[in-house]
Amino acid sequence: TQAPVNVTVTGAAGQIGYALLFRIASGQLLGPDTPVRLRLLEIPQAVKAAEGTALELEDGAFPLLAGTDIFDDAKQAFAGANVALLVGARPRTKGMERGDLLEANGGIFKPQGEAINAGAADDIKVLVVGNPANTNALIAQAHAPDVPAERFTAMTRLDHNRALAQLSKKLGVPVSEIKKLAIWGNHSATQYPDIFHAEVAGKNAAEAVNDQAWLADTFIPTVAKRGAAIIEARGASSAASAASAAIDHVHTWVNGTPEGDWTSAAVVSDGSYGVPEGLISSFPVTARNGKYEIVQGLEIDEFSRARIDASVQELTEERDAVKKLGLI
Ligand code: NAI
């Protein structure tokens, strides 16, 4: 039998953590043949709550769960990590400026990047979920110079799944019939969900929709502002859907995308599509042999170009801001 894979989860006592850990333990992150050992990182005040979750994990009697360890020290939590899910972050509170938010998160993601650099396993794969996810991933990556940059990714899979669901409802087709959707740019309200290359039952999705007004005025804002709609309805931010998307992101990374399809993830730009090299931006990506690769050669029309540029501009500004703060 295989040795357990070490999965480190930060923010383990939070609401996403609560939805995520049980799915990891049940084998949905890495597959039904791979045992996992959970390494949970929390701030000292939340360690007790994480211990409570660990008791429940034990009570799940998951055949694939080799054990759960809890830490309040990043160096220990990331030691030997094969997969790291960086969920814990400093949320924006009322009256907080963007600079303050970036600075507070720099205080979290810089030491975590250093800890990953110091002690993670050679095959470490990092997914940043905690917001601002793309820039938090950039900060962590900047402090892990010995880890290949492409191992740091940020999550736009939830946006991708939201776009799939909206398009499926509009066209009355199951999500399984929709291929090649793409989220571009930042995981923020400027993101661009792109259906121009998407296929529905073999037909071009934009042609199947044939409704530019719906696309511009309903589809794009519904996907981009879905997080706010969830908060409004639920009185709390999306948690189970975010956990589900994190499972999807890592599962795809490890197991690959099906032939004839792709997904979306924020990965380090190699300059493709005019996205400045080094930014962690969402692209259409395929996964093969444990690597995400940016889909090349897509034609970008004017409508898409303007939206991609606007979101990438926001990422550039966030990068400039964290540079100015000395965080990268
Ligand atoms: P939450 O507030 O319920 O939990 C966050 C947890 O992180 C808390 O238990 C807190 O103690 C912990 N934490 C804070 N600093 C930490 C540190 N330095 N090390 C370890 N743990 C630390 O928040 P929730 O709902 O679980 O969301 C977590 C993050 O995910 C938020 O930043 C949220 O904005 C983001 N998010 C991202 C999405 C995406 O699509 N990329 C979707 C939904 C949420």
Side-chain angles (χ1 to χ4, degrees):
T1 57
Q2 202 186 326
V5 172
N6 288 321
V7 180
T8 299
V9 180
T10 77
Q15 48 153 8
I16 294 176
Y18 195 71
L20 182 59
L21 294 170
F22 294 85
R23 294 194 55 188
I24 299 173
S26 74
Q28 292 175 57
L29 187 77
L30 299 170
D33 303 320
T34 310
V36 293
R37 182 177 290 279
L38 284 167
R39 302 177 70 81
L40 312 184
L41 178 64
E42 258 298 349
I43 54 174
Q45 308 89 285
V47 161
K48 186 145 185 262
E51 283 168 357
T53 305
L55 295 179
E56 284 200 76
L57 283 163
E58 203 173 281
D59 294 348
F62 296 105
L64 290 172
L65 183 60
T68 304
D69 296 297
I70 299 165
F71 305 93
D72 63 5
D73 174 81
K75 285 257 152 58
Q76 290 174 15
F78 290 109
N82 304 104
V83 176
L85 302 169
L86 276 46
V87 179
R90 173 73 163 80
R92 191 191 283 258
T93 37
K94 236 184 153 177
M96 201 174 187
E97 298 293 332
R98 187 175 65 172
D100 301 333
L101 180 74
L102 293 171
E103 189 157 30
N105 279 293
I108 296 173
F109 288 87
K110 178 174 183 251
Q112 291 185 359
E114 289 166 349
I116 287 168
N117 198 55
D122 286 344
D123 67 345
I124 179 71
K125 288 181 170 64
V126 182
L127 168 61
V128 176
V129 174
N131 281 318
N134 301 53
T135 297
N136 287 342
L138 184 72
I139 294 170
Q141 184 263 314
H143 294 280
D146 303 331
V147 177
E150 79 258 15
R151 306 288 188 76
F152 284 82
T153 64
M155 191 167 93
T156 52
R157 186 63 172 264
L158 178 55
D159 309 298
H160 182 95
N161 287 346
R162 286 167 171 167
L164 276 176
Q166 293 303 315
L167 190 58
S168 139
K169 273 208 303 196
K170 169 75 174 172
L171 294 174
V173 299
V175 287
S176 56
E177 292 280 310
I178 303 173
K179 315 276 181 227
K180 300 185 176 176
L181 260 177
I183 304 292
W184 298 86
N186 201 0
H187 168 69
S188 77
T190 68
Q191 66 175 267
Y192 172 51
D194 177 1
I195 70 166
F196 286 104
H197 306 284
E199 292 164 8
V200 177
K203 230 181 126 195
N204 179 272
E207 282 166 25
V209 168
N210 193 25
D211 185 348
Q212 184 68 17
W214 176 80
L215 180 64
D217 304 331
T218 303
F219 174 73
I220 294 172
T222 298
V223 173
K225 296 179 189 161
R226 186 69 162 184
I230 302 289
I231 293 174
E232 175 66 26
R234 213 172 81 86
S237 59
S238 20
S241 56
S244 194
I247 296 280
D248 290 345
H249 177 114
V250 174
H251 189 273
T252 300
W253 196 350
V254 171
N255 294 289
T257 38
E259 208 45 60
D261 199 4
W262 63 57
T263 187
S264 303
V267 298
V268 177
S269 177
D270 57 0
S272 295
Y273 301 102
V275 179
E277 208 178 325
L279 280 185
I280 297 188
S281 184
S282 188
F283 289 96
V285 293
T286 53
R288 223 170 304 280
N289 304 320
K291 272 190 171 177
Y292 269 132
E293 276 170 29
I294 298 169
V295 174
Q296 294 297 329
L298 299 177
E299 251 181 70
I300 308 294
D301 70 6
E302 234 172 275
F303 179 88
S304 298
R305 186 75 261 170
R307 281 165 177 78
I308 294 170
D309 287 351
S311 195
V312 168
Q313 178 58 32
E314 183 182 49
L315 283 173
T316 304
E317 287 166 14
E318 288 182 15
R319 175 170 71 176
D320 292 348
V322 295
K323 227 183 225 160
K324 225 169 136 188
L325 290 164
L327 295 170
I328 59 170

